[in-house]
Amino acid sequence: MSMKNRGGGGEQVSKSSVISQKWTLFLCIGCFWAGIFFTNSRIWTEPESKGVVATTALEIERLKLVSEGCDPRFKGVKRVPKEIFLEVSKTQHAVQTLDKTISNLEMELAAAKAAHDSIMSGSPTSETTTNVKRKYFMVIGVNTAFSSRKRRDSVRATWMPQGEKRRKLEIEKGIIMRFVIGHSATLGGILDRAIEAEDKKHGDILRLDHVEGYLELSAKTKAYFATAVSLWDAEYYVKVDDDVHVNIASLGETLARHRKKPRVYIGCMKSGPVLAQRGVRYHEPEYWKFGETGNKYFRHATGQIYAISKDLASYISVNQHVLHKYANEDVSLGSWFIGLDVRHIDDRRLCCGTPPDCEWKAQAGNACVASFDWSCSGICRSVDKLKEVHKRCGEGDNAIWKTSF
């Protein structure tokens, strides 16, 4: 019995094995076809993807090599990354824009400063509100110092019109008149404040960007012409000392006769000796530049009063930083015109003596333009004597209004 049971179980196992083998075969065949299906889909898509990936990787590597200067084709040549080129370009553009902005601001600042100075110096406000300057006939700058308040007052009381008359002279005759002075060594000190108060009262002072000092007269002359040219567009620019008497109408008539001539330099021309000896007045430290001992200076106008045309004043303004300064201001001015095609006009009416000299000449119909004493390089004790000179040698207060230029 037991034998029958064993035999029956083996038959069942045998049938199960056959069934399992069949299912295994079907599963293998199914997996095979599934594998072929998925493999075929990758065969059509993967080569393209691999090519793209390979190309991209190659290009990245190549760009990296180029940027690092390692590309064999550019062996020995150092390359700069493109990003740096872009940054440099942006920086250059920013610098150029900043330069233009600074330049514009500088021009606006210069214009504003000129407008402010023009208002402070009492010139017509129409100049500061328009871009076109008015044309003037002449600018008269009276050279003065901090210690010369009484001299200035004596000039105001005699030949320089004041208040509305001075402003009318500017408008109707085109004549600007200002006392010319710089600033003290201690800018904003008591001397500067005193000048500011005086200018606020009279409105007839032109301040220069210059430190006052006797040994700095040549530098002051350059600063005066440069400043005057920037403020007023005139045919002539005149410099006169504050201890000299001037007949304004006669000065205007004299200058008007030469207005059609270019590069005019008018004054009492002289050619004095070059003084090499130390300690004497008008000593020339650079005497050796003028040749042998005992030589004379070139022709130049005496410093008490002279006039130059606009083109010469502009020349000084443009070249002021390279024009050499000698010890004597009048010599310096004359040296600046050496080598230029300048007309030196010697007019002795610009250096008449004080009474009776100027009085006799006026009676003879040859009115003097300016009067002073050679011994004092101006009117001796001008504060006390200027009124007398004006009374005896002056052309009269109405002469300027009757004269046309």
Side-chain angles (χ1 to χ4, degrees):
M1 186 171 179
S2 60
M3 293 292 290
K4 288 182 181 179
N5 288 339
R6 288 179 181 175
E11 186 179 354
Q12 291 177 356
V13 170
S14 204
K15 289 180 180 180
S16 299
S17 298
V18 172
I19 294 171
S20 298
Q21 291 176 357
K22 289 179 181 181
W23 281 109
T24 300
L25 179 63
F26 285 125
L27 286 173
C28 290
I29 294 170
C31 290
F32 172 76
W33 287 110
I36 291 175
F37 174 78
F38 288 111
T39 302
N40 288 339
S41 64
R42 289 195 60 176
I43 289 173
W44 287 105
T45 59
E46 192 171 23
E48 184 178 359
S49 176
K50 283 184 178 179
V52 172
V53 172
T55 303
T56 304
L58 181 60
E59 290 298 327
I60 291 174
E61 185 65 23
R62 184 177 297 171
L63 289 174
K64 183 178 179 181
L65 289 173
V66 171
S67 66
E68 294 176 354
C70 299
D71 194 331
R73 292 178 301 171
F74 300 94
K75 200 168 185 179
V77 179
K78 189 174 182 180
R79 296 301 183 96
V80 180
K82 184 178 180 180
E83 292 77 5
I84 296 180
F85 278 116
L86 293 175
E87 290 299 323
V88 171
S89 178
K90 290 179 182 179
T91 303
Q92 290 177 343
H93 179 71
V95 170
Q96 291 174 355
T97 302
L98 184 60
D99 286 341
K100 290 180 181 179
T101 302
I102 293 174
S103 178
N104 291 335
L105 289 174
E106 286 177 344
M107 289 188 293
E108 291 176 5
L109 180 61
K113 185 177 183 299
H116 176 267
D117 292 342
S118 182
I119 293 173
M120 293 299 294
S121 60
S123 59
T125 56
S126 60
E127 289 183 13
T128 63
T129 57
T130 60
N131 293 328
V132 180
K133 287 185 177 181
R134 179 194 160 171
K135 299 288 185 179
Y136 291 93
F137 176 52
M138 64 177 171
V139 176
I140 302 175
V142 183
N143 187 37
T144 190
F146 287 110
S147 60
S148 300
R149 173 61 188 267
K150 291 184 177 180
R151 285 188 179 183
R152 292 191 291 274
D153 287 339
S154 66
V155 171
R156 292 183 179 114
T158 53
W159 59 270
M160 179 187 285
Q162 291 297 293
E164 289 300 323
K165 288 184 177 180
R166 181 172 56 81
R167 283 185 280 273
K168 183 180 178 182
L169 193 66
E170 296 176 0
I171 296 171
E172 296 186 7
K173 299 295 183 180
I175 299 176
I176 303 291
M177 304 179 70
R178 297 287 187 275
F179 289 103
V180 179
I181 192 169
H183 58 81
S184 64
T186 56
L187 187 61
I190 187 172
L191 296 176
D192 293 304
R193 293 199 298 271
I195 287 293
E196 290 170 2
E198 185 180 342
D199 184 39
K200 187 175 181 180
K201 178 180 179 181
H202 298 281
D204 58 1
I205 296 178
L206 173 62
R207 301 299 300 276
L208 304 178
D209 184 13
H210 166 79
V211 179
E212 285 293 318
Y214 180 76
L215 298 178
E216 297 296 329
L217 290 178
S218 295
K220 184 176 182 179
T221 299
K222 288 198 295 184
Y224 160 60
F225 285 120
T227 305
V229 167
S230 68
L231 293 177
W232 300 288
D233 183 7
E235 295 182 58
Y236 291 98
Y237 297 85
V238 182
K239 179 264 177 180
V240 57
D241 289 339
D242 60 4
D243 57 352
V244 173
H245 181 271
V246 179
N247 285 321
I248 304 173
S250 297
L251 174 61
E253 288 177 333
T254 300
L255 299 182
R257 288 198 292 269
H258 306 287
R259 68 193 323 166
K260 293 184 179 180
K261 302 173 184 177
R263 299 175 298 280
V264 174
Y265 176 29
I266 305 173
C268 290
M269 299 295 166
K270 66 175 183 176
S271 181
V274 180
L275 302 179
Q277 184 180 354
R278 294 180 179 274
V280 301
R281 192 178 185 185
Y282 305 128
H283 165 65
E284 178 57 71
E286 296 182 277
Y287 61 90
W288 56 273
K289 288 186 177 181
F290 299 91
E292 301 296 330
T293 303
N295 281 359
K296 293 185 176 182
Y297 288 114
F298 39 78
R299 299 287 285 179
H300 62 278
T302 183
Q304 284 82 359
I305 181 173
Y306 51 76
I308 60 176
S309 54
K310 178 186 175 180
D311 39 16
L312 293 182
S314 299
Y315 171 81
I316 294 174
S317 177
V318 171
N319 299 283
Q320 58 180 308
H321 301 297
V322 295
L323 295 177
H324 185 69
K325 303 185 297 293
Y326 289 101
N328 301 304
E329 167 247 342
D330 51 358
V331 171
S332 294
L333 182 74
S335 71
W336 299 338
F337 301 148
I338 294 291
L340 302 182
D341 187 10
V342 175
R343 295 174 181 265
H344 291 63
I345 298 175
D346 184 18
D347 194 327
R348 310 314 290 184
R349 295 191 305 150
L350 273 71
C351 51
C352 295
T354 54
D357 180 58
C358 57
E359 192 173 20
W360 292 340
K361 291 178 180 178
Q363 292 174 356
N366 190 23
C368 293
V369 172
S371 300
F372 59 89
D373 299 311
W374 284 103
S375 59
C376 298
S377 297
I379 297 175
C380 300
R381 303 189 311 277
S382 64
V383 173
D384 301 323
K385 292 182 59 178
L386 192 58
K387 287 185 177 180
E388 179 187 357
V389 175
H390 183 66
K391 180 179 180 180
R392 297 175 61 179
C393 298
E395 58 194 358
D397 295 339
N398 294 324
I400 187 63
W401 308 110
K402 296 177 181 179
T403 305
S404 58
F405 307 114

